[in-house]
Amino acid sequence: MNDDHVVAPGRGTRVPRPGRVSLTTALVVKLGVLVVLNGLVLAGIQRMLANDEVAMAVFSGLALLVIDGVYLSERRFVPGKYLVPGTIFLVIFALYPVLYTVYISTTNYGTGNNLDRATAIAQLEAQSVASSDGAIRYELQILAQGDVDGPLAFLLTDPNGNRFLGTDAGLEPLDPSQIIADGRRETIAGYVALNTGEAQDRVDEVTSIAVPTDQGEVVNDGFRAAFAKLQRLQYDSATNTMRDVVDGTEYTVESGYFVAPDGTRLLPGWRANVGLDNYQRLISTSSVRGEFLRVFVWTLVFSIMSVVLSFALGMFLALVFNNPKMRAQKLYRSLIIIPYALPSFMTALVWKGMLNTQFGIVNRMLGVSIPWLDGQWMPYVSILLVNTWLGYPYMFLICTGALQSIPGDLNEAAIVDGASGVARFRRVTFPLLLIAVAPLLVASFAFNFNNFNLIYLLTEGKPSVLGSNAGRTDILISFTYKLAFGGGRGADYGYAATISFIIFMIVAGISAFSFRFTRRLEEIRR
């Protein structure tokens, strides 16, 4: 008998169990959700294919097939109904960003290389259209098709007396017999000649006309003359080169650019795969390597000292306020966690104002003029001071919880054995406390390793270092931000992605090692 129904007393018929949704209703809801989901995903796949996002379209299609297969089955794949959504979101929001970052790190994507190849070639050719010393000059008569308000065209006469009709479609040679006198002006059948006043009324349209030719375009020079602009750069698909038709320079393809024999690059370039060039640049170029190592060392020091200082202060306060004989414990604890309740970005900006050398309240209260956010060493001290202020309430909370979970009879046994307060803390309290909070300390280290908000809002990575993208107080994540979104040298997304992937590997490696260490602590406890 189906568990969703019971037998009605005295009748022998089954009725739905109270409080349970019938199988029919659940099936209808499930099918409705799947229909909507299929419609949205299929529409999205069409958009992806239209934008040449083939990989994403294939993944979306496979994910949809898996979802339909799992949720349309009755009793099979029951665990999959819980695992599939989480797995798909894990791939989209965790695995895909990592893989895409790795991909971008193997490209030259950045300022000057953010177009596709075809668009870059088209822009280079279009930008090379300009007048030259030997440009052909034409006599010009402005025409309008039908009447004076009709579409405009040029009646052109070159120095050899040849006549042409110039329109958006190009130059059309004319036979002398097609020329018709229109008073003091000339025109052709179907067109009227505009006088100066009529042309002046449509001056914006006149100046916007560019008649395309095989080597460039023809534009007006006033109302009575025109000249040819030459397209200097021409792409040869057979040899995959760009040629300057004026001086004969041939530009070959190199790492997403057209490059001349003397090393001159044509801009814009295009996004191209450069393999491990960004990683090689980081390792082999001494200036880049020195810049990275300087930032990395400070990032490591900043992360470790932030955890140590905030944990030490938070643990100290937790020990102080864990005394059951202390009055108003709840009030004190509420006051201590106030910094944790405030948004960190707002607190960082408040501290930036308080530490201002000229107008900050800290210097005014102390009666000094300390450059807290400038100079050789004080910016480091200020950053650690502010981050300790922001981090100690969290450490206080977790240490308070860990201390309250330690059995009281352990301390009592230590007292009976004659252990002093320091000995009890060192041999009983601290080891048990460390077992509980060690994973959270690892997580805090990983957070501070990428603590972009504090650095950017408090110092913006300053003081600046001459000739370097990275300031004195930049950590790796703020350094990456400057590379990605441009400083004085423009954006360099490929190199920024390289640094991002290295950050990921460093944090993952340190975290894995640290968690293995915390497991050893658990084994010691057992």
Side-chain angles (χ1 to χ4, degrees):
M1 183 180 295
N2 195 314
D3 291 337
D4 292 332
H5 295 76
V6 295
V7 177
R11 295 187 180 182
T13 60
R14 292 188 297 170
V15 297
R17 186 183 296 276
R20 299 284 296 273
V21 178
S22 68
L23 285 177
T24 304
T25 303
L27 181 61
V28 169
V29 171
K30 180 173 71 173
L31 291 176
V33 171
L34 289 176
V35 167
V36 172
L37 178 63
N38 277 259
L40 292 175
V41 174
L42 291 175
I45 289 175
Q46 290 181 344
R47 295 287 299 272
M48 294 172 196
L49 292 175
N51 294 324
D52 293 328
E53 298 288 346
V54 179
M56 186 60 71
V58 171
F59 172 78
S60 301
L62 292 176
L64 184 62
L65 290 176
V66 171
I67 291 174
D68 288 343
V70 168
Y71 285 94
L72 288 176
S73 64
E74 287 296 330
R75 298 185 180 275
R76 299 176 60 190
F77 310 120
V78 173
K81 295 180 180 180
Y82 300 94
L83 295 175
V84 166
T87 302
I88 291 176
F89 283 121
L90 176 67
V91 171
I92 294 174
F93 295 111
L95 183 59
Y96 174 74
V98 174
L99 295 178
Y100 188 72
T101 300
V102 173
Y103 163 69
I104 293 297
S105 71
T106 62
T107 69
N108 62 351
Y109 188 28
T111 299
N113 296 90
N114 54 0
L115 302 175
D116 61 77
R117 181 189 177 92
T119 305
I121 292 174
Q123 284 203 12
L124 286 170
E125 291 182 330
Q127 292 172 5
S128 71
V129 177
S131 60
S132 63
D133 296 336
I136 300 175
R137 299 193 66 83
Y138 298 87
E139 293 180 9
L140 170 64
Q141 171 60 59
I142 301 173
L143 308 180
Q145 189 173 12
D147 54 43
V148 294
D149 296 322
L152 297 181
F154 288 167
L155 177 59
L156 301 167
T157 306
D158 69 11
N160 297 322
N162 299 312
R163 316 298 288 272
F164 302 90
L165 177 66
T167 63
D168 292 340
L171 283 179
E172 177 186 342
L174 298 174
D175 189 87
S177 62
Q178 295 179 266
I179 305 301
I180 303 173
D182 185 7
R184 293 181 300 170
R185 300 174 180 83
E186 293 179 328
T187 184
I188 62 174
Y191 289 84
V192 296
L194 302 186
N195 59 34
T196 303
E198 292 167 338
Q200 181 64 44
D201 292 339
R202 303 180 66 178
V203 62
D204 291 339
E205 295 178 68
V206 172
T207 55
S208 67
I209 295 176
V211 180
T213 68
D214 293 339
Q215 295 183 335
E217 60 187 27
V218 177
V219 296
N220 73 300
D221 185 12
F223 296 145
R224 291 299 178 187
F227 64 95
K229 288 184 175 181
L230 179 66
Q231 179 183 313
R232 292 193 58 169
L233 296 177
Q234 294 183 357
Y235 176 68
D236 186 352
S237 58
T239 59
N240 194 26
T241 58
M242 187 74 74
R243 186 174 179 273
D244 189 325
V245 298
V246 174
D247 59 22
T249 303
E250 191 171 83
Y251 297 83
T252 56
V253 173
E254 183 179 320
S255 300
Y257 293 97
F258 285 108
V259 183
D262 63 358
T264 303
R265 290 178 172 180
L266 295 178
L267 292 176
W270 61 91
R271 193 160 132 188
N273 189 286
V274 295
L276 300 178
D277 285 1
N278 288 320
Y279 296 90
Q280 184 178 358
R281 168 186 169 192
L282 178 62
I283 296 172
S284 61
T285 307
S286 59
S287 58
V288 175
R289 183 175 64 247
E291 183 180 58
F292 174 81
L293 290 176
R294 174 174 61 82
V295 176
F296 172 70
V297 169
W298 161 236
T299 305
L300 203 60
V301 171
F302 165 72
S303 304
I304 294 173
M305 291 302 298
S306 294
V307 174
V308 170
L309 292 175
S310 59
F311 174 64
L313 181 58
M315 181 181 63
F316 171 76
L317 293 174
L319 289 169
V320 170
F321 293 107
N322 196 49
N323 189 339
K325 297 181 180 179
M326 178 175 287
R327 297 179 179 180
Q329 277 184 330
K330 294 182 179 179
L331 175 62
Y332 292 139
R333 287 173 175 168
S334 300
L335 294 175
I336 285 174
I337 65 173
I338 285 178
Y340 193 52
L342 300 175
S344 61
F345 72 91
M346 183 182 72
T347 306
L349 291 174
V350 170
W351 271 100
K352 183 176 183 178
M354 292 171 60
L355 295 175
N356 185 277
T357 304
Q358 295 180 338
F359 309 107
I361 190 173
V362 175
N363 278 349
R364 284 194 294 167
M365 290 181 63
L366 298 176
V368 296
S369 183
I370 300 175
W372 294 98
L373 302 177
D374 199 3
Q376 186 75 15
W377 300 107
M378 290 309 299
Y380 298 122
V381 175
S382 301
I383 288 173
L384 291 175
L385 171 67
V386 175
N387 208 30
T388 300
W389 168 264
L390 291 171
Y392 86 86
Y394 171 73
M395 296 300 180
F396 168 77
L397 289 174
I398 63 174
C399 288
T400 298
L403 287 173
Q404 293 177 352
S405 67
I406 297 176
D409 55 357
L410 295 177
N411 272 315
E412 293 175 2
I415 294 173
V416 171
D417 290 340
S420 63
V422 175
R424 292 199 305 274
F425 171 77
R426 185 167 60 88
R427 295 187 175 276
V428 178
T429 304
F430 185 71
L432 295 176
L433 179 67
L434 193 61
I435 291 172
V437 304
L440 299 176
L441 296 180
V442 176
S444 180
F445 170 84
F447 170 80
N448 283 294
F449 203 90
N450 291 303
N451 195 344
F452 174 81
N453 284 352
L454 176 68
I455 300 298
Y456 191 77
L457 295 176
L458 189 63
T459 67
E460 298 182 16
K462 299 176 181 177
S464 301
V465 176
L466 185 63
S468 174
N469 281 318
R472 195 181 300 278
T473 59
D474 267 317
I475 59 175
L476 286 175
I477 190 65
S478 61
F479 175 42
T480 303
Y481 175 83
K482 290 180 178 179
L483 289 173
F485 297 101
R489 305 177 184 178
D492 192 346
Y493 303 123
Y495 186 51
T498 301
I499 304 295
S500 297
F501 180 65
I502 290 174
I503 292 174
F504 169 77
M505 295 302 296
I506 291 172
V507 174
I510 293 176
S511 299
F513 174 79
S514 301
F515 282 124
R516 288 189 63 182
F517 177 74
T518 58
R519 276 202 298 269
R520 292 180 182 177
L521 291 176
E522 289 285 351
E523 293 172 0
I524 294 173
R525 182 179 181 181
R526 296 191 187 98

